[in-house]
Amino acid sequence: MTVDSRFDDRECAARADVAAVLDPQALARLRELDPDGQSKLLARVAQAFATSVARLLPQMKTAFEAGDVAAIHHVAHTLKSSSASIGAVRLSQLCADIEAMSRDGRVERLADAISAFESEITAVQAALKQTLGDSA
């Protein structure tokens, strides 16, 4: 890195972290739908996602603790497409995996998958916060 660099190492690392969690092409597609940002589409989509997560994450925890695979399936299915729409590809894939496990009765690895799901939600929320800070 040169002395004339406009970004410090932390900012570059933060941008790399966002790209690792949120697909840059998906974010670009959302920005293309609102090129001047007046509709605040990205912020509205992110808020809708956050609202869904706030409602569904406790449901996932409760369903897992109760062994309710139908409810686990429902939560995973519900978050799968909304995750993909904001570019959270890994989270969407985890939802698809959990959905398939619960549908097929393969519960032996469900705890690990749900743990990864919860961790990825945290990463996605942080990446969205970073992204919205960049576009503000």
Side-chain angles (χ1 to χ4, degrees), residues 42-52 128 132:
L42 184 57
R44 289 189 352 236
V45 170
Q47 182 58 49
F49 176 78
T51 300
S52 292
L128 283 171
L132 292 173

Side-chain angles (χ1 to χ4, degrees), residues 63-91:
F64 179 71
E65 289 168 1
D68 185 348
V69 292
I72 291 169
H73 180 272
H74 171 74
V75 170
H77 178 78
T78 303
L79 281 176
K80 181 175 63 176
S81 61
S82 63
S83 299
S85 72
I86 60 165
V89 178
R90 182 169 187 271
L91 180 57

Side-chain angles (χ1 to χ4, degrees), residues 17 42 57 74 83 98 100 119 127:
D17 288 347
L42 184 57
L57 189 56
H74 171 74
S83 299
I98 292 167
S119 295

